[in-house]
Amino acid sequence: DIQMTQSPSSLSASVGDRVTITCRASQSISSYLNWYQQKPGKAPNLLIYAASSLHSGVPSRFSGSGSGTDFTLTISSLQPEDFATYYCQQSYSTPRTFGPGTTVDIK
Amino acid sequence: EVQLVESGGGLVQPGGSLRLSCAASGFTFSSYWMHWVRQAPGKGLVWVSRINSDGNTTNYADSVKGRFTISRDNAKNTLYLQMNSLRAEDTAVYYCARAGVVIGSGGRACDYWGQGTLVTVSS
């Protein structure tokens, strides 16, 4: 099975900050990497698919990059509605493993 | 409007069974792979299972293999998860999700999710 790790596990940031979250796969997954945002008590929302493609309706301040084993989610200017937990997930092979999540909270 | 509505969750004793349903509307259900993902209280997302559009290909996480069965009824626009031999560690909110975004030669991302249904396994 492919293991996914994320760093940091949590971070505190202010509105307007640039935020970067890293995801690493235990083996190459090409660009089969998705990012989801989840707010407390809600279902996840797809942000980025195929490592760098912005899902429809997602603000352009979100961006993704990477390929192979190392990936990054960047929020260029953090907004109040962005405080949430972010998960990466590989869709290269089954089981479709998720990373452990990164919680972004208010500094 | 795409909607996924899960039902069937509840309290069950260890060793018991439960069948979850996910009613789909607003899209051509029979054209999409579907997934189940769960989340234990206060924990992260865990992929459980997936099924292809016509129901003849399924995959499972090792933790549920042999105990859970995913299926679908395309005539009823409904996805199912039959859960047997339930354990305390199966306690979670279970989400169904549509794998609507195709990536390259086969990978997909889940673009619509239900609100989840809570399964509690406890005596």
Side-chain angles (χ1 to χ4, degrees):
Chain A
D1 296 0
I2 297 174
Q3 310 303 317
M4 307 299 293
T5 57
Q6 288 181 235
S7 61
S9 58
S10 65
L11 66 91
S12 295
S14 301
V15 173
D17 283 354
R18 182 181 181 89
V19 169
T20 299
I21 299 168
T22 297
C23 175
R24 176 166 289 175
S26 60
Q27 65 185 74
S28 177
I29 57 171
S30 184
S31 295
Y32 291 90
L33 191 282
N34 311 312
W35 289 98
Y36 297 89
Q37 176 195 66
Q38 187 182 34
K39 297 180 180 179
K42 301 293 187 182
N45 287 314
L46 177 64
L47 297 176
I48 302 283
Y49 63 94
S52 60
S53 296
L54 196 67
H55 183 51
S56 174
V58 175
S60 59
R61 63 181 179 272
F62 291 93
S63 64
S65 64
S67 66
T69 60
D70 294 316
F71 302 87
T72 299
L73 173 69
T74 300
I75 310 172
S76 60
S77 178
L78 199 65
Q79 298 302 299
E81 58 269 30
D82 300 337
F83 293 97
T85 300
Y86 295 84
Y87 296 91
C88 62
Q89 184 208 24
Q90 62 84 13
S91 52
Y92 181 81
S93 66
T94 54
R96 295 283 203 251
T97 39
F98 287 89
T102 295
T103 299
V104 177
D105 60 23
I106 302 172
K107 182 184 286 185
Chain B
E1 178 194 5
V2 172
Q3 282 198 316
L4 297 169
V5 180
E6 300 96 337
S7 60
L11 175 63
V12 61
Q13 292 187 336
S17 298
L18 216 51
R19 188 177 83 156
L20 306 183
S21 299
C22 170
S25 60
F27 66 101
T28 305
F29 179 70
S30 59
S31 296
Y32 291 87
W33 287 70
M34 297 294 295
H35 292 238
W36 287 100
V37 174
R38 69 184 182 184
Q39 186 169 37
K43 302 297 185 182
L45 300 172
V46 176
W47 181 83
V48 173
S49 181
R50 70 169 185 170
I51 188 167
N52 74 334
S53 57
D54 59 15
N56 62 13
T57 298
T58 59
N59 300 102
Y60 298 92
D62 285 347
S63 59
V64 307
K65 201 173 293 182
R67 299 187 300 124
F68 290 12
T69 302
I70 189 172
S71 63
R72 64 192 297 159
D73 185 335
N74 285 343
K76 295 183 177 179
N77 292 337
T78 303
L79 174 72
Y80 302 101
L81 186 67
Q82 177 67 44
M83 304 186 296
N84 299 329
S85 304
L86 283 161
R87 307 165 179 167
E89 54 265 35
D90 296 319
T91 294
V93 173
Y94 285 73
Y95 296 101
C96 64
R98 184 185 87 165
V101 177
V102 178
I103 305 167
S105 60
R108 290 171 172 82
C110 291
D111 57 347
Y112 285 93
W113 297 64
Q115 83 289 349
T117 186
L118 176 62
V119 172
T120 303
V121 184
S122 175
S123 55

